[in-house]
Amino acid sequence: MQNGSLLWQSSQQIGSANLIIAHGKLYFFRGTSQPQGPTGPVVESNLIEVVDASNGHLLHTIAVKTSDPEPLSLVMSGDILYAAMNNGSRAPLLQAYNLSDESLLWQKTYKGRILTLSATGENVYIVQQFLHVANPTKKDPANYTTQTIALQSSGSERWRWTDPDGFGTIAAVEVNGVVCVVDGNVAGVRASDGVALWRTILNPPTGFPPAFE
């Protein structure tokens, strides 16, 4: 309210993933407590809570079909809610829901782990990282490949860009037709086709996502 008074509060624990507000509703991953009680550590859940933003009442839940859930992120673009989850050593999951009726539009699985999820207009970007061995011998240790993957809102893949040294990508955000990938350094990738445009080496590397006006 304009005077800052408390409208409502809930004792429901929220998972580590972010919270989305759309159409007068709150969407967030449910968190649950360990047996130590309400002060124990939060355990991630595969349930997305849908709450009436005006009064805090639970409307219903959306169950993400995956085992050992590790919710990563919820993002919204247009009338679509995107949910990304990792799940231990199994294939991570990306799902898209129609916010008008909360029906599942599509889902995709990926290798390794999803590091970031973002969406701008009709474009969706995930950054996945997976372990691979170029030559399975003792002379060549295992290493990581990090890829930014561009999807249309329909779920069809548009392009992939492999980060030359993106061991821990922090963000992939589209600004004016350029996807800025932050991995300690900053790279610019053309949003239309995934062609690398520029790269800025930072010393020391940054550990923060970009801010745009």
Side-chain angles (χ1 to χ4, degrees):
M1 297 181 67
Q2 291 182 348
N3 61 7
S5 61
L6 178 66
L7 290 176
W8 55 265
Q9 65 181 9
S10 173
S11 59
Q12 174 64 55
Q13 289 189 313
I14 300 176
S16 60
N18 53 307
L19 178 148
I20 293 294
I21 303 174
H23 304 305
K25 302 175 185 178
L26 305 180
Y27 296 83
F28 56 86
F29 279 105
R30 174 190 293 176
T32 59
S33 294
Q34 293 278 31
Q36 293 93 325
T39 59
V42 173
V43 177
E44 304 289 3
S45 167
N46 68 333
L47 293 178
I48 299 174
E49 299 266 5
V50 185
V51 172
D52 188 326
S54 65
N55 54 30
H57 293 166
L58 175 65
L59 299 175
H60 54 268
T61 60
I62 301 172
V64 178
K65 304 298 184 181
T66 185
S67 58
D68 300 327
E70 297 176 20
L72 173 70
S73 182
L74 294 172
V75 300
M76 180 186 68
S77 184
D79 202 39
I80 299 178
L81 176 72
Y82 301 95
M85 298 186 73
N86 290 305
N87 48 6
S89 60
R90 299 174 181 85
L93 181 68
L94 175 65
Q95 291 188 330
Y97 293 89
N98 187 337
L99 281 173
S100 62
D101 59 7
E102 291 159 4
S103 60
L104 179 64
L105 297 173
W106 51 263
Q107 68 177 24
K108 290 181 175 293
T109 57
Y110 293 92
K111 297 179 180 179
R113 296 183 66 80
I114 297 176
L115 299 180
T116 69
L117 168 67
S118 61
T120 303
E122 291 297 311
N123 299 322
V124 186
Y125 302 100
I126 69 164
V127 177
Q128 71 161 353
Q129 183 184 76
F130 54 93
L131 182 69
H132 80 96
V133 180
N135 187 355
T137 67
K138 293 182 179 180
K139 294 182 180 180
D140 293 315
N143 52 49
Y144 289 88
T145 292
T146 303
Q147 290 183 329
T148 300
I149 303 173
L151 305 170
Q152 293 179 324
S153 58
S154 62
S156 60
E157 186 174 315
R158 301 177 59 239
W159 50 259
R160 294 190 178 205
W161 176 73
T162 300
D163 195 328
D165 55 4
F167 180 77
T169 298
I170 303 164
V173 182
E174 181 184 339
V175 181
N176 296 329
V178 177
V179 182
C180 297
V181 181
V182 183
D183 58 2
N185 299 310
V186 184
V189 181
R190 194 160 56 203
S192 60
D193 55 13
V195 173
L197 299 175
W198 49 263
R199 187 169 189 83
T200 300
I201 306 300
L202 302 178
N203 188 15
T206 181
F208 299 93
F212 301 99
E213 184 178 357

